[in-house]
Amino acid sequence: MKGRRAALAATAWALAGCAGIAGGGGPAAYALDPTHTSVTFEVAHFGTSTSRGRFERAQGSVQLDRAAGKGRAEITIATASVSTGVPVLDSRLRGPEALDSEAFPTATFVSERFVFTGDAVIAVAGSLTLRGRTLPLTLKATHFDCYLSPLLAHQVCGGDFEATLQRSRWGIDFGLSLGIPDEVRLLVQVEAIRQ
Amino acid sequence: MRLALASTLLCALAGAAVAEPVVYGLDPTHSFVNFELLHFGTSTIRGRFGPIEGQVNLDRVAGRGRLDIAVATASVSTGWRPFDARIREPDLLDSDAFPQARFVAAEFRFEGDLLVAVRGDLTLRGVQRPLLLRAKHFACEWRAILAVEVCGGDFEGEILRSEFGAAFGVPFVADRVRLLVQVEAVRP
């Protein structure tokens, strides 16, 4: 039984592979896999340690044409889904001094310029709308790959992307006067399933 | 001459006073274990445990320390609840049978009065293995807002989860797990 299931999975994988190859040229649409897409941020806490948090709800879509070296992505996160492991801090971050989640429930990153080396994405240039302000932001890839998911029987492309931003440029001044740094490092995990 | 002697004596006395080992209490709002592991060689899964509980003894002058800290394995949080529930199951963390992961270390490595690494034993899922955590940052500073001295830093280490019997999903989900530990401790 176990063997048969494994054989079935292998066949599905192989078939997905054929489909992947058949549809290999030209642009393809991908839907974000919300279970493997998340935005983590890091902020230095005074001069000692690094505080981390994440946004738990992200959705969006990606168009990718690896042969032509083109792509487009749109990712929206729910600002109220911020999670640091410290509930009191999460409330402060959702408040008007920081993310102001009631007035600005979403933050959106839109990119129409993917930078490739060969068929691998190395950077994604676009703009981030956060707290009602839209400013340019480029995410650099630290990993990028496409694989055939044995569970989903579909091609999945994804990677890890990083950027550092000054939160005050988006109007988030919370704690600056107390010495909490302006600089925030974003670590974005993305996986997207070929449709 | 006499002044220099007096000042040397004063320094020695002050040094003796500082050299007493201090027991620091962990700050639960800035003490977490974050982990990272690669998914299908493509993207990085992240999660956290915590807050960390326990005690840290630190003697910066003598260059010694000792710690005994623990995290609740059921506190695992990835941002996706079904995934957290899956990680608590018997073939991964087995949180029911092993509710705590514990790190006990008595080997503190200093460069000057800066802590650069801590070596000890990690007990996870009932298996004990040595673990080296390297400091990426470490500092002690006066926190004016709270009127306390805080020592803290970022520590990094790596484990192979299969060595602790939590091998489900290897190799599609990596065996190698990177640990990123944020810790802050307040001098009483």
Side-chain angles (χ1 to χ4, degrees):
Chain A
M1 186 62 195
K2 212 170 185 181
R4 188 189 283 180
R5 200 184 289 169
L8 244 154
T11 310
W13 200 2
L15 282 172
C18 294
I21 292 158
Y30 294 79
L32 289 190
D33 170 1
T35 65
H36 293 101
T37 299
S38 72
V39 177
T40 298
F41 57 88
E42 296 184 342
V43 184
H45 184 243
F46 297 101
T48 44
S49 69
T50 302
S51 288
R52 294 182 176 84
R54 62 176 180 244
F55 294 96
E56 297 188 344
R57 292 198 304 278
Q59 59 181 55
S61 60
V62 179
Q63 279 95 51
L64 191 62
D65 187 340
R66 294 172 84 190
K70 285 187 187 147
R72 187 184 187 284
E74 183 166 342
I75 300 177
T76 300
I77 57 157
T79 57
S81 71
V82 65
S83 167
T84 61
V86 183
V88 177
L89 179 58
D90 295 346
S91 300
R92 286 298 292 277
L93 292 175
R94 285 186 205 108
E97 294 172 294
L99 295 165
D100 200 359
S101 296
E102 265 190 45
F104 305 104
T106 60
T108 305
F109 176 71
V110 179
S111 167
E112 297 195 331
R113 198 165 71 81
F114 281 36
V115 184
F116 286 79
T117 294
D119 64 354
V121 176
I122 57 158
V124 173
S127 56
L128 172 67
T129 304
L130 175 64
R131 226 177 174 278
R133 283 189 204 172
T134 302
L135 292 164
L137 184 74
T138 296
L139 296 169
K140 288 191 175 147
T142 53
H143 283 119
F144 178 83
D145 206 359
C146 297
Y147 67 95
L148 293 165
S149 168
L151 297 175
L152 305 166
H154 273 274
Q155 190 201 50
V156 172
C157 290
D160 290 318
F161 297 84
E162 292 188 15
T164 299
L165 58 82
Q166 269 70 45
R167 59 196 175 93
S168 62
R169 296 183 65 217
W170 280 267
I172 303 174
D173 301 331
F174 169 67
L176 283 181
S177 60
L178 301 174
I180 306 288
D182 195 9
E183 203 160 89
V184 178
R185 185 171 172 229
L186 296 180
L187 299 157
V188 184
Q189 177 198 23
V190 178
E191 291 203 8
I193 305 156
R194 189 175 175 137
Q195 301 299 292
Chain B
M1 184 65 189
R2 197 179 277 175
L3 191 71
L5 221 130
S7 91
T8 308
L9 193 68
L10 252 172
C11 286
L13 280 171
V18 172
E20 278 173 39
V22 178
V23 181
Y24 288 80
L26 293 184
D27 168 2
T29 64
H30 295 97
S31 301
F32 290 94
V33 178
N34 298 275
F35 62 89
E36 297 184 344
L37 68 171
L38 210 51
H39 183 247
F40 280 87
T42 298
S43 73
T44 300
I45 296 171
R46 294 185 172 86
R48 68 170 172 253
F49 294 95
I52 303 169
E53 291 162 20
Q55 270 192 354
V56 180
N57 297 260
L58 194 62
D59 185 338
R60 297 171 73 197
V61 175
R64 278 196 296 257
R66 194 182 180 287
L67 63 79
D68 186 342
I69 57 176
V71 289
T73 58
S75 71
V76 64
S77 170
T78 61
W80 186 40
R81 281 182 191 181
F83 192 27
D84 298 342
R86 181 67 192 85
I87 295 171
R88 291 185 198 110
E89 283 183 15
D91 58 349
L92 287 167
L93 291 172
D94 201 359
S95 295
D96 280 344
F98 304 104
Q100 273 202 331
R102 191 169 169 212
F103 181 55
V104 179
E107 190 186 329
F108 280 47
R109 293 181 197 163
F110 285 81
E111 274 169 22
D113 65 349
L114 276 191
L115 183 58
V116 294
V118 173
R119 192 180 167 81
D121 289 311
L122 173 68
T123 305
L124 175 64
R125 227 176 160 278
V127 178
Q128 187 177 304
R129 313 266 319 176
L131 174 67
L132 176 72
L133 293 177
R134 289 176 205 279
K136 279 204 72 187
H137 294 116
F138 179 80
C140 294
E141 63 185 25
W142 179 253
R143 206 63 53 83
I145 312 173
L146 305 167
V148 290
E149 189 203 71
V150 174
C151 290
D154 293 317
F155 295 83
E156 293 192 8
E158 274 187 358
I159 61 167
L160 294 175
R161 59 192 178 97
S162 61
E163 291 185 347
F164 297 87
F168 175 82
V170 173
F172 301 121
V173 183
D175 194 8
R176 190 174 297 277
V177 179
R178 189 169 166 229
L179 302 176
L180 301 158
V181 183
Q182 176 196 24
V183 70
E184 294 212 358
V186 180
R187 188 184 179 122

